[in-house]
Amino acid sequence: QVQLVESGGGLVQAGASLRLSCAASISSNNPLAWYRQAPGKQREWLGYITTGGTTNYADSVKGRFTISRDNAKNTMYLQMNSLKPEDTAVYYCNVPVTWDLSGMRTVLPWGQGTQVTVSS
């Protein structure tokens, strides 16, 4: 059964950094993306990384968040710097459809996500 397991969330103060991990039990020959859902808001796309390492980011996190992956470990990472209270959300990873890497259509069911809370 294909699974996506997010980890690394926590409670931090504004300005701090966190690194999230996404362990994927799928072939490394897939693009991967990060998403988040804040309380009372719709889930939003944050960025993707292709198998070859090409990345693209939402304007809201560009310059602060960095996506990377270790294909040998089938793991993707989200390095989050200069965190803000508005970054508070549950963070998810998934496989975006290949024709819409920057959209919300994904291939797999959503996992549990990992909670990130940023205090002011």
Side-chain angles (χ1 to χ4, degrees), residues 9-119:
L11 171 63
V12 297
Q13 290 189 328
S17 298
L18 273 178
R19 189 176 82 153
L20 306 184
S21 298
C22 167
S25 62
I26 55 173
S27 167
S28 60
N29 191 28
N30 285 284
L32 293 169
W34 283 101
Y35 309 79
R36 70 184 178 189
Q37 187 167 19
K41 296 187 177 180
Q42 290 189 329
R43 190 171 291 160
E44 66 171 321
W45 170 85
L46 298 179
Y48 69 74
I49 185 166
T50 65
T51 301
T54 299
T55 55
N56 190 28
Y57 300 92
D59 288 343
S60 59
V61 303
K62 194 174 297 183
R64 297 190 300 124
F65 290 10
T66 302
I67 298 174
S68 61
R69 66 189 294 168
D70 184 334
N71 289 333
K73 295 181 179 180
N74 277 0
T75 300
M76 175 178 64
Y77 304 97
L78 180 66
Q79 177 67 44
M80 305 186 295
N81 298 327
S82 302
L83 283 162
K84 305 174 182 180
E86 50 264 43
D87 294 319
T88 295
V90 179
Y91 285 69
Y92 302 89
C93 60
N94 212 312
V95 180
V97 295
T98 54
W99 62 89
D100 190 17
L101 297 179
S102 302
M104 294 304 299
R105 285 173 286 185
T106 58
V107 173
L108 300 175
W110 295 100
Q112 295 295 314
T114 185
Q115 175 72 48
V116 172
T117 303
V118 185
S119 63

